[in-house]
Amino acid sequence: MPKYSPEEVAQAMRALRSRLVGYSLGEAEQLESKNAVILERGGLISRTDYVEATIVDTPEEWSWLGGVRGPLIVYGVGDAKKVQRLRDGVLGLTSAERTHALEALGETASEEPQSVLASTHGQAVDGSSQLIGDGDEWKAIGLALHDAIKGDFLLNLAGVRQCLAVTFNLGFREFIRAVFAPTEESARSLFGAVTPLPKQDECLEFLSGLQSEAQGLESLLQGYFERLGHLPLDGELSAGALVSRFLDGGGESLDIWGEVWRWADEGRSPLAQYHACQVFVYLPDQVPPTKFGELLTRLRWVLAPLGDGDSAHRRPQAWHLRHALARHYSKHLMCLFPGTSSEGVTALAWWVSERVATAFGHEEEVLRQVREKNLSEVSRIANVTWELMHPVLEPSLLRFATHDSGAMWGLALLAQLSDPMYFADNDTAPDDVQEVIRDAALDHFVSMSAIAEGSSVLPYTLALPLRDVIESAVEASTEEDYSKKLQVFLEAVGRMEAVESALEMLKEIARGEEMHDNFVVSGIRAHAYGAAPELAGGLWTLLSSSEWRARVLAGTSIECLALLFDALVEVQVRERGDWDIHFPHFLAMAAEAHADDDERRDSLFALTVFSSLSSGTKSAIRRVLTGPQRHKFAEDVHHWREQLRAVRGFSEWMDARLRDVLASLRLA
């Protein structure tokens, strides 16, 4: 082994230091605080050469950015103002900087506990004595706290609020990315800090305590909303049942109608509007006779469809954003943590969505911009990741309704309208109210009539039978055409409710109208998400028929084919065995058979890739890419190679799945 002189070693260390500092600096003039501490701990630099102290005078000259507590502090006054992140403060050059960062974090935890995770604050308290020291022992503790602050979802959300308050675009981009696409570590800390899906006995205990401690009806509802308002709960766990017990137990209210709506309107959350409607649907005797038309108008804003048209029937952007966020977060989190409780993950998604949406206020155009610009790209990645990986998840009514329904809360409310009075003509309501309510009944009935029940930790109004609601709508309707439509769907759903007859209907698709095929496949998909035990065998029998496969894969619309695949892959990831071995090859053979039909070839090859990823196999892809038609798939191969590369790094388990498939695509 060669020996080096002290001068040669010193020269090599200088070169190493220069390279490391260069890599860390990039285009910046100063090092990031974390990089500086790491390099200094390694004896490569002195931080005073690369990091500027933030507190130049006294720490008393400071304020929260935008007057909002969060991860950003402003030091100094006038032109000397400097913005510092709390996570950089805990790695500050001086003990004074680190001390003040700890004090600011403690103030946030004390005054606004909803803006910082208790685990982050606890970590700061436990390490505070070492962190404010002047030796080197504080650095390891400071680095760990830096990472905890950076990954604290609630602090990042507070950062979004701070940046919005002063239009700080640079900071906004940093924090909104951390909020919309939390890392695995950030999401894991959130899982451990909140309980969005308490057990039923825990809910009852909480509601009993809330009922005894509430100072009035509005405080009762606010306490309920903060703890359980992100879920459409049924029975004794609903807001209506709680208000009923409150009144029966001696709780006083001189104006129940006025108090409930005052609470809902002041909160300005659409979910509060849902719970207020639910109270009066549960307690119809508490609706003043002169206010029933107003109740119908309120119901309309929960039941109306989502959409971006100019129709007055469309719901406000606050609804749009919450639904989009919930679908995004549920898919993002399920791909990060496959195999976890899908009901628990979906409940957390709704809990997070409500808090994130609230941060953006109530202006329609602002909410539209957030949904269409800020959320759209990260949501696209989550959707692609979900489609590619389709993680194994237990059946969940809440998950299915969140992913499938464009308006889960409308469905949750509709399911409770089993009294014909809600569908009858009413002279005290605006002319269009009944039209919206009736159309909502039809729309929800078509899309969710065969909804999967699964097994739920908590009872949801989503599980209530829609058949009762539709029969009430038929009874109250004076329009013959509307009644006939409902009767036809009632008869069709009667057949779809039983798996055996649903499979018989599936056997005959691709012979008639596209609308009928979509209806049948949607019902099968609902059964698949509900994990009906007899479904897998029946589906495998159909798939094993080359005649059925050829007709369906060639004759259904691309939209219907996508719905059918989603149902089949949901079964595949649970059944494994023959499904993993043969299902991708069925799709590959169909893709080869339709190599001259660009649209169908593209779709079938995409489904081959999805199915292969779900099964962890690659032979079906290699079949296509080594077959006689391989030259016709060149564009498809390039497209999916780029798509898969784009989602690498999402999680370790996903990267392991992608590796073999990407290798197969590179061989093409």
Side-chain angles (χ1 to χ4, degrees), residues 168-374:
F168 181 31
N169 293 329
L170 183 62
F172 178 78
R173 287 193 293 271
E174 173 190 342
F175 288 111
I176 199 64
R177 177 70 186 181
V179 166
F180 280 168
T183 63
E184 187 172 344
E185 293 76 13
S186 178
R188 196 181 302 281
S189 66
L190 192 58
F191 267 110
V194 301
T195 311
L197 188 69
K199 296 178 181 178
Q200 187 159 351
D201 56 348
E202 294 173 346
C203 291
L204 291 172
E205 182 179 353
F206 163 74
L207 293 176
S208 177
L210 180 63
Q211 182 181 333
S212 61
E213 296 171 6
Q215 300 300 308
L217 193 53
E218 291 184 54
S219 68
L220 178 83
L221 288 168
Q222 186 59 29
Y224 177 90
F225 187 75
E226 290 175 359
R227 184 72 179 86
L228 299 173
H230 59 288
L231 299 172
L233 297 174
D234 188 29
E236 57 187 345
L237 301 186
S238 68
L242 176 63
V243 171
S244 178
R245 291 194 297 272
F246 176 77
L247 298 175
D248 291 344
E252 295 184 359
S253 174
L254 298 177
D255 179 15
I256 295 174
W257 175 268
E259 286 191 48
V260 170
W261 288 115
R262 184 163 53 250
W263 164 76
D265 292 340
E266 287 177 357
R268 301 189 71 180
S269 167
L271 301 194
Q273 296 289 324
Y274 163 86
H275 289 293
C277 287
Q278 196 276 332
V279 166
F280 291 111
V281 170
Y282 189 90
L283 298 170
D285 292 343
Q286 297 295 339
V287 181
T290 58
K291 297 293 186 180
F292 187 71
E294 183 180 337
L295 175 61
L296 293 178
T297 303
R298 299 271 194 171
L299 293 176
R300 174 183 67 180
W301 291 114
V302 182
L303 294 170
L306 296 172
D308 290 321
D310 296 328
S311 170
H313 296 174
R314 300 293 182 184
R315 281 190 286 172
Q317 290 295 324
W319 276 115
H320 285 253
L321 183 58
R322 282 162 173 81
H323 278 281
L325 284 168
R327 283 194 295 271
H328 163 68
Y329 279 121
S330 61
K331 291 181 178 180
H332 181 85
L333 294 172
M334 287 173 190
C335 288
L336 283 178
F337 306 107
T340 52
S341 164
S342 58
E343 184 181 355
V345 172
T346 309
L348 178 61
W350 279 106
W351 186 92
V352 169
S353 299
E354 174 59 23
R355 282 146 184 82
V356 172
T358 299
F360 294 103
H362 313 286
E363 293 185 19
E364 285 284 289
E365 189 54 32
V366 171
L367 298 182
R368 183 194 299 275
Q369 292 288 332
V370 169
R371 180 171 60 89
E372 294 181 352
K373 292 188 176 180
N374 302 109

Side-chain angles (χ1 to χ4, degrees), residues 330-637:
S330 61
K331 291 181 178 180
H332 181 85
L333 294 172
M334 287 173 190
C335 288
L336 283 178
F337 306 107
T340 52
S341 164
S342 58
E343 184 181 355
V345 172
T346 309
L348 178 61
W350 279 106
W351 186 92
V352 169
S353 299
E354 174 59 23
R355 282 146 184 82
V356 172
T358 299
F360 294 103
H362 313 286
E363 293 185 19
E364 285 284 289
E365 189 54 32
V366 171
L367 298 182
R368 183 194 299 275
Q369 292 288 332
V370 169
R371 180 171 60 89
E372 294 181 352
K373 292 188 176 180
N374 302 109
L375 179 61
S376 61
E377 178 57 22
V378 289
S379 183
R380 184 192 68 80
I381 293 172
N383 273 320
V384 169
T385 306
W386 170 266
E387 291 175 355
L388 287 171
M389 308 312 296
H390 206 103
V392 181
L393 296 161
E394 63 188 24
S396 167
L397 172 64
L398 192 65
R399 169 172 73 106
F400 183 68
T402 299
H403 287 194
D404 192 72
S405 173
M408 185 191 77
W409 291 88
L411 173 67
L413 184 59
L414 175 70
Q416 301 170 74
L417 305 184
S418 57
D419 193 310
M421 67 180 179
Y422 295 110
F423 300 94
D425 292 329
N426 187 286
D427 295 336
T428 64
D431 293 339
D432 64 343
V433 166
Q434 291 301 44
E435 178 187 351
V436 173
I437 293 176
R438 290 169 185 166
D439 287 349
L442 188 58
D443 291 342
H444 285 303
F445 188 53
V446 173
S447 63
M448 302 292 284
S449 54
I451 191 167
E453 293 188 7
S455 57
S456 298
V457 173
L458 296 177
Y460 304 107
T461 59
L462 296 164
L464 295 173
L466 280 179
R467 177 178 291 276
D468 296 344
V469 177
I470 300 304
E471 289 176 349
S472 293
V474 172
E475 178 183 338
S477 176
T478 58
E479 299 177 14
E480 186 176 351
D481 289 345
Y482 178 74
S483 296
K484 284 182 177 179
K485 283 183 181 179
L486 292 179
Q487 290 286 11
V488 169
F489 281 117
L490 274 173
E491 293 171 6
V493 169
R495 296 183 63 193
M496 288 302 302
E497 287 174 339
V499 172
E500 184 177 350
S501 58
L503 286 168
E504 286 297 317
M505 294 175 72
L506 183 65
K507 185 177 180 180
E508 300 302 320
I509 65 170
R511 296 185 189 278
E513 295 182 359
E514 179 180 338
M515 182 178 177
H516 172 267
D517 290 352
N518 287 342
F519 177 79
V520 172
V521 170
S522 296
I524 289 292
R525 182 168 172 265
H527 284 304
Y529 273 75
E534 63 272 35
L535 182 66
L539 286 175
W540 188 250
T541 299
L542 290 177
L543 274 174
S544 300
S545 165
S546 58
E547 183 277 327
W548 185 85
R549 285 202 316 270
R551 186 183 78 246
V552 170
L553 296 180
T556 53
S557 68
I558 300 300
E559 176 189 0
C560 185
L561 184 59
L563 288 173
L564 178 60
F565 173 79
D566 192 54
L568 294 173
V569 79
E570 179 74 13
V571 175
Q572 176 193 349
V573 297
R574 284 198 301 267
E575 294 295 315
R576 298 303 183 189
D578 286 344
W579 283 82
D580 281 347
I581 297 170
H582 298 293
F583 183 42
H585 283 273
F586 290 158
L587 295 167
M589 288 188 289
E592 289 180 309
H594 295 281
D596 293 324
D597 180 341
D598 291 349
E599 184 180 24
R600 195 159 295 271
R601 181 199 63 229
D602 293 348
S603 296
L604 289 168
F605 184 75
L607 299 183
T608 303
V609 172
F610 294 166
S611 181
S612 297
L613 283 165
S614 296
S615 64
T617 63
K618 57 192 176 186
S619 56
I621 295 175
R622 292 199 173 190
R623 175 196 190 112
V624 174
L625 302 185
T626 57
Q629 305 276 8
R630 60 184 179 276
H631 62 284
K632 297 179 180 178
F633 290 87
E635 291 185 9
D636 298 288
V637 169

